Amino acid sequence: MPSRWSVAGSRRYDAVIVGASFAGLALAQRLRGRRVLLVDRDPVGANQTSACGAPLRLVEAVGAGDAVQQVHDAIWIHTTRGEYRWDIAHHPYCTFDYARFCELALARCDAQFVQASARGLSGGAVHTSRGVFRARLIADCTGWRAAVGRAVSPDLHLGQWQGFGIETEVSCAFPAGLHFYFWPDVAPGGYAWAFPCGGAVRFGVLSYRGETQLRPGLLAFLERFGVAPTTYHGGFLGSGAYDPVVGGIFVVGDGAGQCLPLTGEGIRTAIHAAWVVGDLFARVLDGAVSPEWAAYAYRRYVREQRRGVYFLAGATLAALHLPRGLLNAVIGWFSGLHAQRIFLSHYLATFAPPSWLASSR
């Protein structure tokens, strides 16, 4: 890795960002020209936990277009009684290579990077396995673990909804589109998915209830397609859009419950929230606003998303508890052209960038 990414000299920074995945990298990009430190327990681009599906425009906006493996203009929803096509050609999604995405996003940062585990916080300083790093502003982008936020408040968002998913990637042919399967025999408390990514497919299973023993269901799912698993990866998904500022720490992504219920989408939401925090941090460092005002503005942005989040949470409860025949009927109704357009417009508006945000490019 180029020497400019290693920590040297002073350990005092304008901002310390703990977590160097989607949110952390997007936030660091907004702070070019500042003294910023990125901290992560893993090398950048290692330890993939995501299915790596996101809007194409978003991936391009962070400079990671070359990581795209396949573009999708449709979502397919499969139930026990049929399948439904949702048109997303006007807002296509893509699947991408995680390591390459991180490499490209990092190249657009001029932050320093240190591989270290966050161990605590005191007096505006982050304590890590590689030393203590001080900063005026601190962001926790460590995902559902909220490593820094929980160091300040051990009970941080303890009651938030947490889903859990696991995935394997298999080399095989598969129809284009992002495929979701509401099949109770393989995913009784959630859904299964198949995301083509070039010459391979990411097969996974999600539990809305946070159940972690999902490998039998995933194996049963794979058997339907006559393929075998390779390696596994996955993790928890935090949802609920909770208070994203604790003890002056700005929490971004799953740690603040910014993963969407029902779909489990978390990349788009984390990057958009990171852009918000990055612009607010820049304003603080420019002397335009106080850290307290920045915290107020970020909290307000998150509060404005709760209506959409709560609607999706209700839809999640319906998916869990409605009789299968009625659930199929509901999915069929929402899959009508007019209904799906209304649903998608509200869905994509949840955690969209606010109007006051500077250009993302």
Side-chain angles (χ1 to χ4, degrees):
M1 186 172 289
S3 60
R4 71 192 182 101
W5 302 121
S6 59
V7 175
S10 171
R11 293 191 174 192
R12 188 177 297 275
Y13 298 86
D14 292 327
V16 170
I17 302 168
V18 184
S21 188
F22 301 114
L25 292 168
L27 202 166
Q29 287 184 351
R30 309 295 285 196
L31 296 174
R32 288 183 59 87
R34 319 286 181 169
R35 289 183 53 80
V36 176
L37 179 68
L38 272 168
V39 180
D40 200 293
R41 64 181 184 177
D42 297 306
V44 178
N47 194 28
Q48 175 184 337
T49 60
S50 167
C52 293
L56 176 63
R57 296 171 198 166
L58 185 72
V59 174
E60 293 174 336
V62 297
D66 285 347
V68 172
Q69 296 168 310
Q70 189 166 342
V71 177
H72 304 279
D73 62 4
I75 293 171
W76 288 91
I77 300 176
H78 305 260
T79 72
T80 55
R81 297 189 180 181
E83 58 183 31
Y84 307 92
R85 185 184 187 276
W86 288 49
D87 182 9
I88 54 171
H90 64 294
H91 196 91
Y93 272 58
C94 67
T95 42
F96 58 87
D97 179 87
Y98 176 70
R100 182 64 174 151
F101 176 100
C102 293
E103 175 189 355
L104 292 166
L106 182 63
R108 279 203 174 184
C109 305
D110 57 7
Q112 293 178 317
F113 173 75
V114 62
Q115 186 179 341
S117 297
R119 293 179 172 173
L121 183 84
S122 65
V126 179
H127 296 253
T128 78
S129 57
R130 293 282 302 278
V132 178
F133 303 99
R134 301 181 182 280
R136 186 177 181 190
L137 299 164
I138 299 171
D140 183 338
C141 301
T142 59
W144 67 271
R145 294 178 295 115
V148 181
R150 285 199 169 93
V152 176
S153 176
D155 296 331
L156 177 68
H157 309 149
L158 197 60
Q160 76 172 5
W161 171 79
Q162 283 192 340
F164 185 83
I166 63 169
E167 179 184 69
T168 188
E169 186 170 318
V170 180
S171 294
C172 65
F174 207 86
L178 301 177
H179 296 259
F180 295 84
Y181 297 82
F182 289 88
W183 289 351
D185 57 328
V186 299
Y191 65 82
W193 72 86
F195 290 180
C197 48
V201 182
R202 296 186 184 118
F203 293 96
V205 175
L206 174 88
S207 167
Y208 289 134
R209 300 186 178 97
E211 298 166 348
T212 59
Q213 302 304 310
L214 301 181
R215 193 169 297 187
L218 179 55
L219 291 174
F221 183 49
L222 293 169
E223 286 177 5
R224 296 281 193 98
F225 302 98
V227 297
T230 55
T231 58
Y232 298 95
H233 61 259
F236 287 96
L237 301 84
S239 185
Y242 291 93
D243 184 357
V245 183
V246 54
I249 308 303
F250 289 65
V251 185
V252 185
D254 284 30
Q258 292 170 359
C259 181
L260 295 180
L262 187 63
T263 63
E265 183 177 23
I267 298 172
R268 175 176 65 89
T269 55
I271 290 177
H272 285 165
W275 285 350
V276 170
V277 173
D279 274 19
L280 290 171
F281 276 15
R283 295 183 190 190
V284 172
L285 295 171
D286 288 340
V289 301
S290 67
E292 292 75 19
W293 191 91
Y296 161 78
Y298 182 39
R299 283 173 166 142
R300 179 175 178 178
Y301 168 73
V302 172
R303 283 198 303 269
E304 289 170 349
Q305 315 312 314
R306 288 178 181 167
R307 181 176 180 180
V309 169
Y310 293 162
F311 170 78
L312 293 171
T316 303
L317 291 175
L320 280 170
H321 299 296
L322 284 180
R324 285 292 151 180
L326 182 55
L327 177 62
N328 286 331
V330 170
I331 292 174
W333 186 86
F334 272 104
S335 297
L337 186 60
H338 181 65
Q340 70 174 252
R341 284 177 176 173
I342 294 174
F343 180 93
L344 287 171
S345 67
H346 287 285
Y347 177 82
L348 293 170
T350 304
F351 277 101
S355 58
W356 52 262
L357 189 72
S359 171
S360 62
R361 293 186 181 272

